């Protein structure tokens, strides 16, 4: 064997797994060898141990083979540090979940031992807590996908002012006392305001997903923004009193809401007279070149089962908002992407909500070569961005 390469058997022994496991992951397309020798030996490298580690970790944490494929299809050595960080975050969440289960089991056992009576509400509570395990897994996938999208825009946008910085520049926070964000994601928006300004205001950072709220809190507290108020809230049924906020922000959220009219009425309810609602969305031209690219490779690929801009987009959003607000102004963010690396683009594609992971699972190397060829031919891929913010003021009488 060439120096630096391991046969399947050597690789399996060194990793302390069975060769059957290695062959299975190879057949499934999750862990392909780095090279196949002229004599047909399937050869692995030291870097492949990093990929195997992540596969085994995700399998232990409850991910399906399809999910593991989507989360590891584009791993490389340079991404190892980020991979380990994400796994560590997921482990911490699972530890918290297991501790919650342990405490509930202890309380239920103590009750049975002391009274001899079973409280079936406690058993129901234990069932609910057990079912949260799937939510932890789903939250990890969501965080990975959000990070992939943010990273592509951060690295390859031509506008020197980043998206979140641009939104922040539109919000006169100095003249506001209390602000609500619905659908906070990972909380990046608030990184663009100084901790000093934030400390003198009441900023409620909320999301319908408690996991996303935890992620936002962790990110922002590390940067000295622990003064923010982190809460789990559904924008279709907010818990706040009427006229509570000077401003409400919904960044790329409204197209996910099941009952949009109900959510807008709730947002209007908690806005004080004279308050401002900022909501961002996409247009139908947004990232269109990526759709054309994947369909050129395989026409079966659909990056989204639903066209989000049709639910609430730059083309139809103003009419929807004007049913609730008196004055609606549309502001467009001027930007485009010029992408000259295949890997971040592949990460973005895999983060979408369509069928791409399933179709690409057995063709990952071929697709990466396809992306590299396109980038090389064009000297970088220019990708349209069509995004903006609606700034809403005043109430319409219902």
């Amino acid at each position: 064997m060439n120096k630096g390469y391991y046969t399947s058997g050597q690789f399996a022994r060194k990793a302390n797994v069975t060769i059957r496991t290695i062959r299975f992951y190879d057949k499934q397309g999750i862990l392909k060898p780095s090279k196949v020798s002229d004599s047909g030996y399937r050869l692995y490298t030291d870097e492949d141990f990093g990929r195997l580690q992540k596969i085994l970790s995700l399998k232990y944490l409850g991910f399906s083979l399809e999910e593991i494929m989507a989360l590891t299809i584009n791993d490389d050595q340079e991404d190892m540090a980020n991979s380990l960080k994400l796994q560590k975050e997921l482990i911490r969440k699972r530890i918290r979940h297991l501790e919650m289960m342990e405490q509930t089991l202890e309380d239920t056992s103590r009750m049975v031992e002391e009274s001899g009576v079973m409280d079936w509400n406690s058993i129901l509570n234990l069932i609910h807590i057990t079912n949260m395990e799937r939510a932890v897994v789903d939250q990890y996938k969501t965080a990975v996908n959000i990070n992939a999208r943010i990273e592509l825009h951060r690295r390859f946008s031509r506008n020197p002012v980043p998206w979140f910085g641009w939104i922040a520049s539109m919000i006169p926070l100095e003249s506001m006392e209390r602000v609500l964000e619905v659908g906070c994601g990972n909380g990046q928006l608030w990184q663009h305001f100084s901790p000093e300004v934030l400390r003198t205001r009441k900023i409620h950072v909320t999301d319908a997903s408690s996991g996303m709220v935890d992620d936002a809190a962790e990110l922002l507290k590390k940067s000295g923004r622990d003064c923010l108020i982190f809460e789990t809230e559904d924008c279709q049924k907010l818990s706040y009193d009427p006229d509570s906020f000077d401003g409400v922000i919904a960044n790329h959220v409204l197209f996910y809401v099941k009952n949009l009219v109900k959510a807008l009425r709730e947002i209007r309810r908690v806005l004080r007279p004279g308050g401002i609602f900022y909501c961002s969305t996409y247009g139908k031209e947004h990232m269109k070149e990526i759709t054309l690219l994947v369909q050129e490779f395989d026409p079966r690929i659909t990056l989204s089962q639903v066209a989000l801009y049709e639910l609430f987009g730059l083309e139809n959003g103003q009419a929807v908002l004007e049913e609730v607000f008196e004055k609606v102004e549309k502001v467009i963010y001027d930007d485009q992407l010029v992408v000259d690396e295949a890997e971040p683009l592949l990460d973005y594609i895999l983060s979408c909500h369509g069928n791409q992971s399933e179709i690409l699972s057995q063709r990952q190397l071929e697709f990466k070569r396809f992306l590299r060829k396109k980038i090389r031919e064009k000297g970088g891929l220019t990708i349209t961005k069509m995004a903006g913010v609606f700034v809403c003021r005043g109430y319409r009488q219902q």
Side-chain angles (χ1 to χ4, degrees):
M1 292 303 101
N2 294 331
K3 187 175 182 180
Y5 286 102
Y6 307 95
T7 64
S8 300
Q10 292 169 336
F11 184 74
R13 286 193 295 274
K14 198 171 179 69
N16 197 29
V17 299
T18 66
I19 191 169
R20 186 177 177 181
T21 297
I22 300 302
R23 287 172 176 166
F24 175 74
Y25 289 149
D26 180 5
K27 184 177 180 181
Q28 296 298 318
I30 297 176
L31 182 62
K32 288 288 187 182
S34 293
K35 180 180 178 180
V36 178
S37 71
D38 295 337
S39 53
Y41 284 101
R42 307 181 76 74
L43 304 177
Y44 296 83
T45 66
D46 287 332
E47 285 74 15
D48 291 319
F49 288 117
R51 188 175 174 87
L52 176 62
Q53 181 276 326
K54 185 174 182 180
I55 291 168
L56 296 174
S57 176
L58 293 175
K59 182 175 180 291
Y60 167 74
L61 290 164
F63 287 83
S64 68
L65 287 176
E66 292 77 13
E67 291 165 339
I68 293 172
M69 167 62 76
L71 291 169
T72 59
I73 191 172
N74 196 33
D75 280 353
D76 55 31
Q77 185 66 15
E78 293 179 2
D79 194 48
M80 191 64 187
N82 188 50
S83 170
L84 293 172
K85 178 183 176 184
L86 288 171
Q87 290 177 63
K88 187 170 66 175
E89 290 173 0
L90 181 56
I91 288 288
R92 283 202 298 266
K93 288 181 180 180
R94 189 165 190 186
I95 288 171
R96 289 199 296 268
H97 174 252
L98 290 172
E99 287 173 343
M100 191 186 307
M101 285 188 66
E102 181 185 30
Q103 186 61 52
T104 304
L105 285 167
E106 286 182 357
D107 293 344
T108 304
S109 298
R110 188 181 306 110
M111 176 195 65
V112 173
E113 291 170 1
E114 292 176 355
S115 65
V117 178
M118 175 62 72
D119 179 0
W120 296 110
N121 286 328
S122 297
I123 299 300
L124 286 174
N125 185 41
L126 188 57
I127 292 171
H128 294 323
I129 291 174
T130 303
N131 286 337
M132 284 170 58
E133 180 75 8
R134 186 67 237 174
V136 172
V137 170
D138 290 341
Q139 175 56 31
Y140 178 85
K141 291 191 294 178
T142 300
V144 170
N145 291 340
I146 288 175
N147 289 340
R149 294 181 202 126
I150 289 174
E151 186 66 9
L152 187 76
H153 290 282
R154 184 189 69 80
R155 291 187 58 190
F156 302 104
S157 288
R158 309 311 287 175
N159 192 327
V161 180
W163 169 256
F164 288 106
W166 179 73
I167 294 178
S169 70
M170 300 175 64
I171 302 170
L173 202 61
E174 293 80 2
S175 63
M176 298 178 171
E177 293 184 4
R178 195 175 181 199
V179 177
L180 168 68
E181 183 183 20
V182 297
C184 64
N186 64 3
Q188 278 237 351
L189 173 63
W190 304 104
Q191 297 275 51
H192 295 271
F193 294 97
S194 71
E196 292 72 28
V197 170
L198 295 177
R199 285 193 193 100
T200 59
R201 276 127 187 96
K202 289 187 176 179
I203 311 294
H204 295 252
V205 179
T206 75
D207 199 287
S209 164
S210 60
M212 292 310 302
V213 174
D214 290 343
D215 285 349
E218 184 174 355
L219 171 71
L220 293 167
K221 287 176 180 178
K222 285 179 181 176
S223 60
R225 291 164 175 82
D226 50 356
C227 54
L228 303 180
I229 303 165
F230 300 96
E231 297 165 321
T232 303
E233 289 279 344
D234 182 349
C235 65
Q236 298 168 99
K237 190 177 181 181
L238 296 168
S239 65
Y240 308 107
D241 293 332
D243 306 336
S244 293
F245 297 99
D246 301 298
V248 177
I249 302 158
N251 180 38
H252 293 343
V253 170
L254 296 184
F255 36 58
Y256 293 123
V257 175
K258 290 182 179 178
N259 191 329
L260 180 55
V261 172
K262 185 177 180 181
L264 291 175
R265 288 176 178 169
E266 272 293 274
I267 289 167
R268 186 193 64 178
R269 180 183 67 81
V270 301
L271 265 176
R272 67 166 180 78
I276 307 174
F277 176 43
Y278 303 87
C279 57
S280 66
T281 187
Y282 308 113
K284 64 182 180 181
E285 299 292 303
H286 187 67
M287 312 292 274
K288 63 181 180 180
E289 292 83 2
I290 293 182
T291 297
L292 294 172
L293 193 66
V294 297
Q295 291 187 343
E296 178 184 345
F297 180 77
D298 192 321
R300 297 174 299 164
I301 296 178
T302 301
L303 294 181
S304 178
Q305 301 299 334
V306 179
L308 296 178
Y309 61 81
E310 292 181 358
L311 302 178
F312 180 80
L314 289 177
E315 291 78 18
N316 62 11
Q318 186 153 354
V320 174
L321 292 165
E322 286 176 345
E323 293 291 321
V324 180
F325 296 93
E326 277 189 355
K327 183 180 178 182
V328 179
E329 177 188 5
K330 178 166 65 175
V331 187
I332 301 298
Y333 178 61
D334 183 19
D335 196 13
Q336 64 178 356
L337 302 179
V338 179
V339 182
D340 58 4
E341 296 178 33
E343 287 75 12
L345 184 56
L346 180 53
D347 282 338
Y348 177 91
I349 290 167
L350 293 171
S351 78
C352 296
H353 304 293
N355 63 358
Q356 68 285 344
S357 295
E358 175 187 349
I359 292 174
L360 295 175
S361 63
Q362 300 299 320
R363 305 179 68 190
Q364 53 178 295
L365 297 178
E366 180 188 354
F367 184 55
K368 189 182 287 191
R369 285 195 295 268
F370 169 80
L371 292 178
R372 286 173 175 163
K373 182 174 181 287
K374 289 292 183 181
I375 290 171
R376 188 168 58 252
E377 288 174 349
K378 298 183 178 183
L381 298 177
T382 300
I383 298 170
T384 301
K385 289 181 66 172
M386 180 55 67
V389 172
F390 292 108
V391 183
C392 311
R393 295 179 172 87
Y395 302 162
R396 287 206 181 275
Q397 296 298 322
Q398 299 298 308

